[in-house]
PDB file of all heavy atoms in Angstrom:
ATOM      1  N   ILE A1357       0.842  -1.191   0.007  1.00  0.00           N
ATOM      2  CA  ILE A1357      -0.005   0.008  -0.007  1.00  0.00           C
ATOM      3  C   ILE A1357       0.880   1.254   0.016  1.00  0.00           C
ATOM      4  O   ILE A1357       0.658   2.205  -0.784  1.00  0.00           O
ATOM      5  CB  ILE A1357      -0.958   0.002   1.210  1.00  0.00           C
ATOM      6  CG1 ILE A1357      -2.022  -1.080   1.021  1.00  0.00           C
ATOM      7  CG2 ILE A1357      -1.594   1.378   1.391  1.00  0.00           C
ATOM      8  CD1 ILE A1357      -2.868  -1.356   2.306  1.00  0.00           C
ATOM      9  N   GLN A1358       1.916   1.279   0.859  1.00  0.00           N
ATOM     10  CA  GLN A1358       2.784   2.428   0.946  1.00  0.00           C
ATOM     11  C   GLN A1358       3.656   2.651  -0.309  1.00  0.00           C
ATOM     12  O   GLN A1358       3.784   3.761  -0.766  1.00  0.00           O
ATOM     13  CB  GLN A1358       3.692   2.293   2.194  1.00  0.00           C
ATOM     14  CG  GLN A1358       2.976   2.439   3.481  1.00  0.00           C
ATOM     15  CD  GLN A1358       3.832   2.106   4.688  1.00  0.00           C
ATOM     16  OE1 GLN A1358       4.871   1.394   4.540  1.00  0.00           O
ATOM     17  NE2 GLN A1358       3.497   2.592   5.842  1.00  0.00           N
ATOM     18  N   GLN A1359       4.212   1.554  -0.834  1.00  0.00           N
ATOM     19  CA  GLN A1359       5.173   1.685  -1.935  1.00  0.00           C
ATOM     20  C   GLN A1359       4.531   1.780  -3.307  1.00  0.00           C
ATOM     21  O   GLN A1359       5.210   2.217  -4.245  1.00  0.00           O
ATOM     22  CB  GLN A1359       6.144   0.467  -1.887  1.00  0.00           C
ATOM     23  CG  GLN A1359       6.995   0.470  -0.613  1.00  0.00           C
ATOM     24  CD  GLN A1359       7.842  -0.785  -0.530  1.00  0.00           C
ATOM     25  OE1 GLN A1359       8.090  -1.470  -1.501  1.00  0.00           O
ATOM     26  NE2 GLN A1359       8.246  -1.145   0.700  1.00  0.00           N
ATOM     27  N   SER A1360       3.306   1.379  -3.463  1.00  0.00           N
ATOM     28  CA  SER A1360       2.672   1.397  -4.760  1.00  0.00           C
ATOM     29  C   SER A1360       2.330   2.811  -5.187  1.00  0.00           C
ATOM     30  O   SER A1360       2.097   3.667  -4.405  1.00  0.00           O
ATOM     31  CB  SER A1360       1.410   0.524  -4.762  1.00  0.00           C
ATOM     32  OG  SER A1360       0.433   1.080  -3.870  1.00  0.00           O
ATOM     33  N   THR A1361       2.331   3.042  -6.488  1.00  0.00           N
ATOM     34  CA  THR A1361       1.869   4.329  -7.038  1.00  0.00           C
ATOM     35  C   THR A1361       0.382   4.276  -7.300  1.00  0.00           C
ATOM     36  O   THR A1361      -0.245   5.345  -7.492  1.00  0.00           O
ATOM     37  CB  THR A1361       2.614   4.692  -8.323  1.00  0.00           C
ATOM     38  OG1 THR A1361       2.528   3.632  -9.260  1.00  0.00           O
ATOM     39  CG2 THR A1361       4.083   4.992  -8.036  1.00  0.00           C
ATOM     40  N   GLY A1362      -0.183   3.123  -7.274  1.00  0.00           N
ATOM     41  CA  GLY A1362      -1.658   2.970  -7.418  1.00  0.00           C
ATOM     42  C   GLY A1362      -2.097   1.557  -7.119  1.00  0.00           C
ATOM     43  O   GLY A1362      -1.315   0.614  -7.185  1.00  0.00           O
ATOM     44  N   ILE A1363      -3.348   1.423  -6.756  1.00  0.00           N
ATOM     45  CA  ILE A1363      -3.978   0.110  -6.506  1.00  0.00           C
ATOM     46  C   ILE A1363      -5.313   0.151  -7.233  1.00  0.00           C
ATOM     47  O   ILE A1363      -6.115   1.073  -7.028  1.00  0.00           O
ATOM     48  CB  ILE A1363      -4.225  -0.137  -5.022  1.00  0.00           C
ATOM     49  CG1 ILE A1363      -2.857  -0.050  -4.213  1.00  0.00           C
ATOM     50  CG2 ILE A1363      -4.821  -1.523  -4.803  1.00  0.00           C
ATOM     51  CD1 ILE A1363      -3.053  -0.052  -2.724  1.00  0.00           C
ATOM     52  N   VAL A1364      -5.501  -0.805  -8.141  1.00  0.00           N
ATOM     53  CA  VAL A1364      -6.729  -0.807  -8.925  1.00  0.00           C
ATOM     54  C   VAL A1364      -7.453  -2.167  -8.852  1.00  0.00           C
ATOM     55  O   VAL A1364      -6.794  -3.206  -8.640  1.00  0.00           O
ATOM     56  CB  VAL A1364      -6.483  -0.446 -10.393  1.00  0.00           C
ATOM     57  CG1 VAL A1364      -5.930   0.979 -10.538  1.00  0.00           C
ATOM     58  CG2 VAL A1364      -5.580  -1.462 -11.090  1.00  0.00           C
ATOM     59  N   ARG A1365      -8.723  -2.124  -9.042  1.00  0.00           N
ATOM     60  CA  ARG A1365      -9.516  -3.314  -9.255  1.00  0.00           C
ATOM     61  C   ARG A1365      -9.818  -3.238 -10.760  1.00  0.00           C
ATOM     62  O   ARG A1365     -10.312  -2.220 -11.254  1.00  0.00           O
ATOM     63  CB  ARG A1365     -10.795  -3.293  -8.419  1.00  0.00           C
ATOM     64  CG  ARG A1365     -11.672  -4.471  -8.644  1.00  0.00           C
ATOM     65  CD  ARG A1365     -12.889  -4.415  -7.757  1.00  0.00           C
ATOM     66  NE  ARG A1365     -13.782  -5.520  -7.949  1.00  0.00           N
ATOM     67  CZ  ARG A1365     -14.879  -5.708  -7.249  1.00  0.00           C
ATOM     68  NH1 ARG A1365     -15.256  -4.888  -6.321  1.00  0.00           N
ATOM     69  NH2 ARG A1365     -15.628  -6.792  -7.489  1.00  0.00           N
ATOM     70  N   ALA A1366      -9.469  -4.286 -11.478  1.00  0.00           N
ATOM     71  CA  ALA A1366      -9.555  -4.214 -12.939  1.00  0.00           C
ATOM     72  C   ALA A1366      -9.762  -5.598 -13.553  1.00  0.00           C
ATOM     73  O   ALA A1366      -9.451  -6.598 -12.947  1.00  0.00           O
ATOM     74  CB  ALA A1366      -8.311  -3.572 -13.529  1.00  0.00           C
ATOM     75  N   LYS A1367     -10.209  -5.585 -14.803  1.00  0.00           N
ATOM     76  CA  LYS A1367     -10.394  -6.801 -15.578  1.00  0.00           C
ATOM     77  C   LYS A1367      -9.433  -6.777 -16.761  1.00  0.00           C
ATOM     78  O   LYS A1367      -9.232  -5.743 -17.393  1.00  0.00           O
ATOM     79  CB  LYS A1367     -11.829  -6.906 -16.097  1.00  0.00           C
ATOM     80  CG  LYS A1367     -12.112  -8.203 -16.873  1.00  0.00           C
ATOM     81  CD  LYS A1367     -13.566  -8.283 -17.315  1.00  0.00           C
ATOM     82  CE  LYS A1367     -14.393  -8.747 -16.148  1.00  0.00           C
ATOM     83  NZ  LYS A1367     -15.759  -9.106 -16.590  1.00  0.00           N
ATOM     84  N   VAL A1368      -8.800  -7.894 -17.053  1.00  0.00           N
ATOM     85  CA  VAL A1368      -7.875  -8.023 -18.158  1.00  0.00           C
ATOM     86  C   VAL A1368      -8.689  -8.117 -19.460  1.00  0.00           C
ATOM     87  O   VAL A1368      -9.549  -8.996 -19.591  1.00  0.00           O
ATOM     88  CB  VAL A1368      -6.941  -9.264 -18.039  1.00  0.00           C
ATOM     89  CG1 VAL A1368      -6.008  -9.409 -19.218  1.00  0.00           C
ATOM     90  CG2 VAL A1368      -6.170  -9.210 -16.735  1.00  0.00           C
ATOM     91  N   THR A1369      -8.363  -7.217 -20.392  1.00  0.00           N
ATOM     92  CA  THR A1369      -9.095  -7.185 -21.670  1.00  0.00           C
ATOM     93  C   THR A1369      -8.272  -7.645 -22.852  1.00  0.00           C
ATOM     94  O   THR A1369      -8.765  -7.811 -23.950  1.00  0.00           O
ATOM     95  CB  THR A1369      -9.687  -5.815 -21.986  1.00  0.00           C
ATOM     96  OG1 THR A1369      -8.567  -4.836 -21.967  1.00  0.00           O
ATOM     97  CG2 THR A1369     -10.687  -5.392 -20.896  1.00  0.00           C
ATOM     98  N   GLY A1370      -6.942  -7.799 -22.630  1.00  0.00           N
ATOM     99  CA  GLY A1370      -6.069  -8.271 -23.744  1.00  0.00           C
ATOM    100  C   GLY A1370      -4.610  -8.210 -23.326  1.00  0.00           C
ATOM    101  O   GLY A1370      -4.275  -7.755 -22.215  1.00  0.00           O
ATOM    102  N   SER A1371      -3.746  -8.719 -24.216  1.00  0.00           N
ATOM    103  CA  SER A1371      -2.321  -8.715 -23.919  1.00  0.00           C
ATOM    104  C   SER A1371      -1.533  -8.833 -25.192  1.00  0.00           C
ATOM    105  O   SER A1371      -2.056  -9.276 -26.218  1.00  0.00           O
ATOM    106  CB  SER A1371      -1.946  -9.844 -22.942  1.00  0.00           C
ATOM    107  OG  SER A1371      -2.128 -11.089 -23.566  1.00  0.00           O
ATOM    108  N   TYR A1372      -0.284  -8.456 -25.129  1.00  0.00           N
ATOM    109  CA  TYR A1372       0.668  -8.611 -26.240  1.00  0.00           C
ATOM    110  C   TYR A1372       2.077  -8.606 -25.623  1.00  0.00           C
ATOM    111  O   TYR A1372       2.270  -8.073 -24.500  1.00  0.00           O
ATOM    112  CB  TYR A1372       0.545  -7.525 -27.288  1.00  0.00           C
ATOM    113  CG  TYR A1372       0.925  -6.153 -26.831  1.00  0.00           C
ATOM    114  CD1 TYR A1372       2.179  -5.652 -27.023  1.00  0.00           C
ATOM    115  CD2 TYR A1372       0.000  -5.376 -26.175  1.00  0.00           C
ATOM    116  CE1 TYR A1372       2.516  -4.378 -26.535  1.00  0.00           C
ATOM    117  CE2 TYR A1372       0.309  -4.100 -25.715  1.00  0.00           C
ATOM    118  CZ  TYR A1372       1.579  -3.583 -25.928  1.00  0.00           C
ATOM    119  OH  TYR A1372       1.921  -2.356 -25.479  1.00  0.00           O
ATOM    120  N   SER A1373       3.022  -9.164 -26.310  1.00  0.00           N
ATOM    121  CA  SER A1373       4.433  -9.156 -25.849  1.00  0.00           C
ATOM    122  C   SER A1373       5.257  -8.396 -26.834  1.00  0.00           C
ATOM    123  O   SER A1373       5.027  -8.390 -28.043  1.00  0.00           O
ATOM    124  CB  SER A1373       4.939 -10.599 -25.707  1.00  0.00           C
ATOM    125  OG  SER A1373       4.238 -11.304 -24.707  1.00  0.00           O
ATOM    126  N   ALA A1374       6.316  -7.765 -26.286  1.00  0.00           N
ATOM    127  CA  ALA A1374       7.204  -6.950 -27.132  1.00  0.00           C
ATOM    128  C   ALA A1374       8.535  -6.806 -26.403  1.00  0.00           C
ATOM    129  O   ALA A1374       8.637  -6.980 -25.188  1.00  0.00           O
ATOM    130  CB  ALA A1374       6.610  -5.551 -27.386  1.00  0.00           C
ATOM    131  N   PHE A1375       9.568  -6.487 -27.195  1.00  0.00           N
ATOM    132  CA  PHE A1375      10.882  -6.172 -26.582  1.00  0.00           C
ATOM    133  C   PHE A1375      10.843  -4.788 -25.969  1.00  0.00           C
ATOM    134  O   PHE A1375      10.261  -3.869 -26.513  1.00  0.00           O
ATOM    135  CB  PHE A1375      11.971  -6.272 -27.675  1.00  0.00           C
ATOM    136  CG  PHE A1375      12.450  -7.656 -27.889  1.00  0.00           C
ATOM    137  CD1 PHE A1375      11.872  -8.433 -28.868  1.00  0.00           C
ATOM    138  CD2 PHE A1375      13.492  -8.187 -27.128  1.00  0.00           C
ATOM    139  CE1 PHE A1375      12.338  -9.736 -29.068  1.00  0.00           C
ATOM    140  CE2 PHE A1375      13.972  -9.461 -27.350  1.00  0.00           C
ATOM    141  CZ  PHE A1375      13.368 -10.240 -28.320  1.00  0.00           C
ATOM    142  N   ARG A1376      11.518  -4.674 -24.879  1.00  0.00           N
ATOM    143  CA  ARG A1376      11.864  -3.388 -24.252  1.00  0.00           C
ATOM    144  C   ARG A1376      13.363  -3.466 -24.000  1.00  0.00           C
ATOM    145  O   ARG A1376      13.827  -4.132 -23.076  1.00  0.00           O
ATOM    146  CB  ARG A1376      11.086  -3.170 -22.971  1.00  0.00           C
ATOM    147  CG  ARG A1376      11.360  -1.808 -22.320  1.00  0.00           C
ATOM    148  CD  ARG A1376      10.445  -1.593 -21.119  1.00  0.00           C
ATOM    149  NE  ARG A1376      10.760  -0.405 -20.420  1.00  0.00           N
ATOM    150  CZ  ARG A1376      10.275   0.803 -20.637  1.00  0.00           C
ATOM    151  NH1 ARG A1376       9.367   0.945 -21.563  1.00  0.00           N
ATOM    152  NH2 ARG A1376      10.656   1.827 -19.911  1.00  0.00           N
ATOM    153  N   GLY A1377      14.135  -2.850 -24.876  1.00  0.00           N
ATOM    154  CA  GLY A1377      15.582  -3.053 -24.871  1.00  0.00           C
ATOM    155  C   GLY A1377      15.851  -4.499 -25.257  1.00  0.00           C
ATOM    156  O   GLY A1377      15.351  -4.978 -26.250  1.00  0.00           O
ATOM    157  N   ARG A1378      16.607  -5.210 -24.441  1.00  0.00           N
ATOM    158  CA  ARG A1378      16.956  -6.590 -24.707  1.00  0.00           C
ATOM    159  C   ARG A1378      16.004  -7.586 -24.036  1.00  0.00           C
ATOM    160  O   ARG A1378      16.124  -8.790 -24.185  1.00  0.00           O
ATOM    161  CB  ARG A1378      18.387  -6.845 -24.283  1.00  0.00           C
ATOM    162  CG  ARG A1378      19.402  -6.067 -25.117  1.00  0.00           C
ATOM    163  CD  ARG A1378      20.781  -6.244 -24.623  1.00  0.00           C
ATOM    164  NE  ARG A1378      21.153  -7.708 -24.584  1.00  0.00           N
ATOM    165  CZ  ARG A1378      22.282  -8.127 -24.097  1.00  0.00           C
ATOM    166  NH1 ARG A1378      23.142  -7.302 -23.553  1.00  0.00           N
ATOM    167  NH2 ARG A1378      22.528  -9.422 -24.113  1.00  0.00           N
ATOM    168  N   ASP A1379      15.064  -7.055 -23.257  1.00  0.00           N
ATOM    169  CA  ASP A1379      14.152  -7.884 -22.522  1.00  0.00           C
ATOM    170  C   ASP A1379      12.747  -7.948 -23.112  1.00  0.00           C
ATOM    171  O   ASP A1379      12.268  -6.942 -23.689  1.00  0.00           O
ATOM    172  CB  ASP A1379      14.047  -7.399 -21.062  1.00  0.00           C
ATOM    173  CG  ASP A1379      15.362  -7.454 -20.346  1.00  0.00           C
ATOM    174  OD1 ASP A1379      16.067  -8.457 -20.482  1.00  0.00           O
ATOM    175  OD2 ASP A1379      15.718  -6.475 -19.663  1.00  0.00           O
ATOM    176  N   VAL A1380      12.102  -9.086 -22.964  1.00  0.00           N
ATOM    177  CA  VAL A1380      10.750  -9.280 -23.405  1.00  0.00           C
ATOM    178  C   VAL A1380       9.807  -8.982 -22.251  1.00  0.00           C
ATOM    179  O   VAL A1380      10.055  -9.439 -21.135  1.00  0.00           O
ATOM    180  CB  VAL A1380      10.507 -10.708 -23.964  1.00  0.00           C
ATOM    181  CG1 VAL A1380       9.054 -10.907 -24.354  1.00  0.00           C
ATOM    182  CG2 VAL A1380      11.413 -11.007 -25.151  1.00  0.00           C
ATOM    183  N   TYR A1381       8.786  -8.222 -22.531  1.00  0.00           N
ATOM    184  CA  TYR A1381       7.712  -7.958 -21.560  1.00  0.00           C
ATOM    185  C   TYR A1381       6.391  -8.365 -22.201  1.00  0.00           C
ATOM    186  O   TYR A1381       6.189  -8.211 -23.362  1.00  0.00           O
ATOM    187  CB  TYR A1381       7.656  -6.478 -21.202  1.00  0.00           C
ATOM    188  CG  TYR A1381       8.678  -6.034 -20.202  1.00  0.00           C
ATOM    189  CD1 TYR A1381       9.984  -5.772 -20.557  1.00  0.00           C
ATOM    190  CD2 TYR A1381       8.345  -5.941 -18.843  1.00  0.00           C
ATOM    191  CE1 TYR A1381      10.942  -5.392 -19.637  1.00  0.00           C
ATOM    192  CE2 TYR A1381       9.290  -5.541 -17.917  1.00  0.00           C
ATOM    193  CZ  TYR A1381      10.586  -5.272 -18.325  1.00  0.00           C
ATOM    194  OH  TYR A1381      11.521  -4.888 -17.383  1.00  0.00           O
ATOM    195  N   THR A1382       5.480  -8.824 -21.335  1.00  0.00           N
ATOM    196  CA  THR A1382       4.093  -9.008 -21.720  1.00  0.00           C
ATOM    197  C   THR A1382       3.316  -7.832 -21.139  1.00  0.00           C
ATOM    198  O   THR A1382       3.405  -7.534 -19.975  1.00  0.00           O
ATOM    199  CB  THR A1382       3.531 -10.345 -21.235  1.00  0.00           C
ATOM    200  OG1 THR A1382       4.295 -11.383 -21.788  1.00  0.00           O
ATOM    201  CG2 THR A1382       2.054 -10.516 -21.637  1.00  0.00           C
TER     202      THR A1382
END
């Protein structure tokens, strides 16, 4: 709670993966 910049209640509507520099993120 203290360290987060936000807390949300949410539903996942989609996803994709891509490179960010040399690392892959979803």
Side-chain angles (χ1 to χ4, degrees):
I1357 291 169
Q1358 290 171 338
Q1359 295 173 22
S1360 64
T1361 54
I1363 305 168
V1364 298
R1365 180 178 179 177
K1367 183 179 277 193
V1368 178
T1369 58
S1371 66
Y1372 66 95
S1373 294
F1375 276 91
R1376 182 174 173 92
R1378 295 176 55 188
D1379 297 318
V1380 175
Y1381 280 82
T1382 299

